Amino acid sequence: MYSQALNTRDAGPSAEDADALARFQARIDAEEKIEPNDWMPEAYRRTLTRQISQHAHSEIVGMLPEGNWITRAPSLRRKAALLAKVQDEGGHGLYLYAAAETLGTAREELVEQLLSGRAKYSSIFNYPTLSWADIGAIGWLVDGAAIMNQIPLCRCSYGPYARAMIRVCKEESFHQRQGYEIMLMLCRGTPEQKAMAQDALNRWWWPCLMMFGPPDTASQHSDASMKWKIKRFTNDDLRQKFVDATVPQGLHLGLTFPDPELRLEDGHWRFGAIDWDEFKRVVAGDGPLNRERLAARKQAHEEGAWVREAALAFAAKRRRKAA
């Protein structure tokens, strides 16, 4: 396996070698892409592996809240669109696991880290989808936040991650438009339907703001990620961009945001205090559906064992024939 080969290849100059580090940073500063066989500091490799694998886990776990509504979609058109979207999310996870493997960690190990609870995924996916309006809110808000965070990743300094994100962002943009259209139809419908849309916004707004991660003053990885151009904007910058883009959309729908402190000031929509204690609880495993989400992934992994075994057996058979 390629990722296993990477673990055994020559690691290049020591990470303590000041000249090597300087040459590496010069490439970053010159906007060159770092590729899998290039020398890189181990801290850069670890940071990327953590970020890309958590991104992949989030795409896979993110299939669950929406998959819950495939059999209950209000029309055949909505069902087909939701099926396509959930399929897209699974594909995103696969692209990203492949990108993470180029850094030297096998996919099996990454998946084991998720199933054991040692790896994190986006806190947003531990919240329940209680109505069809939640599917619209996820597309509009959650995918909208994802796009805001992921478009700069298309310029990430690590080549495989940047290239994977180009396709991911194109598909996420479609998902966001699809979600907004669901919200628009609900808001133009009966009073009960509009109330359902408002309820979804009330429940998803604050968790979406938490999606960008802790405030810059509390972020453990932002400085290094910005220096290495893994990230291009800080958590707080991206959060503000999302709020500025999303509030006018919600007002166009005729909805009210669940924030009495929300106000337009100096060209930006300023918002109230985020409950970071809730964020920490959910990330630590004490969210509304943390246990259920991991249990569902473990069950799917166990039930899919025969598929993985059959695929490996088929590949081995082809290799024997080729030899």
Side-chain angles (χ1 to χ4, degrees), residues 247-263:
V247 170
Q249 296 170 354
L251 296 179
H252 177 73
L253 293 174
L255 298 176
T256 302
F257 286 83
D259 181 1
E261 297 182 41
L262 189 66
R263 65 200 183 279

Side-chain angles (χ1 to χ4, degrees), residues 100-303:
E101 281 189 302
T102 66
L103 290 160
T105 303
R107 184 176 312 191
E108 292 80 5
E109 182 177 344
L110 299 174
V111 172
E112 191 280 328
Q113 291 172 2
L114 169 65
L115 298 179
S116 67
R118 290 187 291 126
K120 305 298 182 184
Y121 55 87
S122 180
S123 60
I124 195 72
F125 299 118
N126 291 310
Y127 291 86
T129 45
L130 304 179
S131 74
W132 174 251
D134 287 27
I135 303 303
I138 288 176
W140 172 37
L141 299 174
V142 176
D143 291 326
I147 292 167
M148 194 64 66
N149 191 46
Q150 292 171 9
I151 286 177
L153 293 175
C154 295
R155 297 187 292 125
C156 172
S157 61
Y158 188 59
Y161 194 21
R163 291 188 288 271
M165 291 313 304
I166 293 173
R167 178 168 179 174
V168 170
C169 286
K170 289 179 180 178
E171 294 177 350
E172 293 289 6
S173 295
F174 173 77
H175 300 165
Q176 195 270 346
R177 292 194 297 272
Q178 175 185 324
Y180 190 74
E181 192 254 350
I182 291 174
M183 297 295 280
L184 183 62
M185 292 300 100
L186 291 171
C187 290
R188 289 179 175 177
T190 66
E192 291 80 8
Q193 288 173 321
K194 186 171 182 180
M196 188 164 62
Q198 181 65 63
D199 175 65
L201 173 58
N202 292 346
R203 288 183 287 105
W204 288 95
W205 177 244
W206 290 109
C208 279
L209 297 192
M210 298 175 193
M211 276 183 67
F212 295 95
D216 295 342
T217 55
S219 179
Q220 299 179 9
H221 306 286
S222 284
D223 289 346
S225 292
M226 294 284 286
K227 177 183 177 182
W228 289 325
K229 297 188 179 181
I230 296 171
K231 292 175 62 174
R232 297 284 178 154
F233 299 96
T234 68
N235 296 349
D236 288 339
D237 286 342
L238 290 170
R239 195 174 359 257
Q240 185 64 62
K241 287 175 179 287
F242 171 72
V243 173
D244 288 342
T246 305
V247 170
Q249 296 170 354
L251 296 179
H252 177 73
L253 293 174
L255 298 176
T256 302
F257 286 83
D259 181 1
E261 297 182 41
L262 189 66
R263 65 200 183 279
L264 187 60
E265 183 179 282
D266 299 328
H268 295 285
W269 285 96
R270 305 304 182 183
F271 50 93
I274 297 172
D275 185 353
W276 291 114
D277 289 336
E278 177 184 342
F279 173 76
K280 292 174 184 177
R281 287 196 305 272
V282 176
V283 170
D286 193 25
L289 291 176
N290 287 68
R291 295 170 184 81
E292 289 83 353
R293 296 292 186 239
L294 275 183
R297 287 310 312 153
K298 289 177 182 177
Q299 180 180 354
H301 188 73
E302 292 167 0
E303 292 178 349

